[in-house]
Amino acid sequence: ETGVTQTPRHLVMGMTNKKSLKCEQHLGHNAMYWYKQSAKKPLELMFVYSLEERVENNSVPSRFSPECPNSSHLFLHLHTLQPEDSALYLCASSRGNEKLFFGSGTQLSVL
Amino acid sequence: DQQVKQNSPSLSVQEGRISILNCDYTNSMFDYFLWYKKYPAEGPTFLISISSIKDKNEDGRFTVFLNKSAKHLSLHIVPSQPGDSAVYFCAVRVPGGAGSYQLTFGKGTKLSVIP
């Protein structure tokens, strides 16, 4: 148990659906992250929030929309995704320059 | 272009022997390096790290070596145990905005420790 909880663990959605991934951290951290892991590719940073402000957006398509209502919660809203968006989506948190703690991820399949 | 390269996608080692996982990076300005371990259906967990001011850091069975001139990082596990079977990711820390930092990861090396 890393203190970072992601729901759901698995998600199957059609290309016209709208869904949201949820992440919650119980560690008192002040930065939260979304990473994407596709098959045979490195983990790719998608978004960074620090003190509830988005500080990084690594050229992610607008069909992915993050939301950070407070320092403990992070969402990734999904709409009109493509099959190539199927991947493991990982949330992480950190306190300043300290190491990242990852959740278990949401395995997303887009049909 | 990948900033962090793990050229061996997989490695098999006999239980009790040494496992050596390698990582190369491209930017000599990177100052902090980490290894993460990932089991199936779980997120990566932090294993060990090293600052660029050091060339070795040891924690129990795990030792990380840093060769700055070669821009090369390695993780040694000795003795290897079946429970060490996992995917190991090398990562470098890159400063981000407003007190955050980013990790740039390699593709990972899948270690299999054979009993």
Side-chain angles (χ1 to χ4, degrees), chain A residues 97-100, chain B residues 31-37 45-60 62-66 73-76 89-93 101 103:
Chain A
N97 286 332
E98 296 180 10
K99 59 185 178 284
L100 267 63
Chain B
D31 66 349
Y32 198 74
F33 307 86
L34 307 91
W35 284 95
Y36 277 77
K37 173 180 178 180
T45 56
F46 170 77
L47 190 58
I48 193 169
S49 62
I50 188 166
S51 164
S52 60
I53 63 173
K54 295 186 174 183
D55 53 20
K56 176 182 174 181
N57 188 27
E58 192 172 349
D59 183 3
F62 302 91
T63 303
V64 57
F65 294 92
L66 177 62
L73 191 69
S74 63
L75 174 68
H76 292 210
F89 293 96
C90 171
V92 298
R93 187 179 70 181
Y101 74 97
L103 292 185

Side-chain angles (χ1 to χ4, degrees), chain A residues 30-33 35 45 47-50 55-56 92-102, chain B residues 31-34 36 46 49 91-105:
Chain A
N30 56 9
M32 296 188 78
Y33 310 75
Y35 276 85
L45 178 66
F47 302 103
V48 181
Y49 277 82
S50 179
V55 296
E56 294 288 343
S93 68
S94 71
R95 190 202 321 271
N97 286 332
E98 296 180 10
K99 59 185 178 284
L100 267 63
F101 289 76
F102 284 88
Chain B
D31 66 349
Y32 198 74
F33 307 86
L34 307 91
Y36 277 77
F46 170 77
S49 62
V92 298
R93 187 179 70 181
V94 179
S100 70
Y101 74 97
Q102 302 178 21
L103 292 185
T104 298
F105 288 85

